[in-house]
Amino acid sequence: MKNRDIEFMRVAMEEAKKGLAEGGIPIGSCLVIDGKVVGRGHNRRIQKGSAILHAEMDCLENAGRLKAAQYQKATLYTTLSPCEMCTGAALLYKIPRVVMGENTTYKGGEDILREKGVEVINLDLPEAVEMMRKFIRDNPMLWNEDIGVEDSLREESVEADV
């Protein structure tokens, strides 16, 4: 399924680039059921002034209301390792498979997903890593805000991630 995973990750990467072009954080996501993209989104916290509109949350919102059985056969694609909030959403809806573009710049709740039986795949795409590294380097305050790092810890966090 790796070729299909790369195909769908390209959709998530398009979303990440769209978010960046809007002045936001370049993280994208899509939800796939039965080989079809049913939702897509990108981090819009900055654009919408939202506390919770990460890419995965935007994607799930854009997918609309789905029946539990549909989520339970879905794959969630995200360009970056999902944070604990987005991990929780995947667990809540019992999404069995999460494919990420990379976890070099940030490692979120992927261990929690695995502990709960979710199949987690890291494609480790150089393009995804470079896009996030550049964003973090150019926008450390926005990045730290997005991942919930306190002001006093911001410089240490940025240095550790980049």
Side-chain angles (χ1 to χ4, degrees), residues 18-31:
K18 188 183 298 184
L20 183 62
E22 294 171 357
I25 297 168
I27 303 169
S29 182
C30 69
L31 186 69

Side-chain angles (χ1 to χ4, degrees), residues 53-126:
L53 210 47
H54 283 189
E56 299 89 340
M57 304 300 272
D58 189 44
C59 170
L60 292 171
E61 178 72 14
N62 292 333
R65 289 178 57 192
L66 301 174
K67 296 187 181 292
Q70 291 175 293
Y71 290 113
Q72 293 170 15
K73 59 183 184 173
T75 297
L76 181 64
Y77 291 84
T78 177
T79 59
L80 185 64
S81 179
C83 74
E84 286 80 0
M85 176 178 64
C86 298
T87 292
L91 292 174
L92 175 70
Y93 291 110
K94 297 178 178 51
I95 295 171
R97 190 165 183 269
V98 174
V99 178
M100 63 185 143
E102 64 106 349
N103 69 354
T104 301
T105 59
Y106 176 79
K107 184 173 181 192
E110 58 196 78
D111 290 339
I112 297 166
L113 290 168
R114 285 186 189 97
E115 287 171 13
K116 297 290 187 176
V118 175
E119 179 184 8
V120 179
I121 297 170
N122 181 5
L123 297 178
D124 198 25
L125 295 176

Side-chain angles (χ1 to χ4, degrees), residues 8 11 14 19 24 36 42 48-49 51 54 59 65-66 70 92 107 113 129 137-138 155:
F8 292 124
V11 173
E14 288 172 16
K36 181 179 179 197
H42 52 275
K48 294 287 188 176
H54 283 189
C59 170
R65 289 178 57 192
L66 301 174
Q70 291 175 293
L92 175 70
K107 184 173 181 192
L113 290 168
V129 174
R137 187 172 46 248
D138 294 348
E155 285 185 32

Side-chain angles (χ1 to χ4, degrees), residues 7-20:
E7 173 188 336
F8 292 124
M9 186 57 67
R10 292 288 165 222
V11 173
M13 289 294 293
E14 288 172 16
E15 287 293 320
K17 291 172 185 173
K18 188 183 298 184
L20 183 62

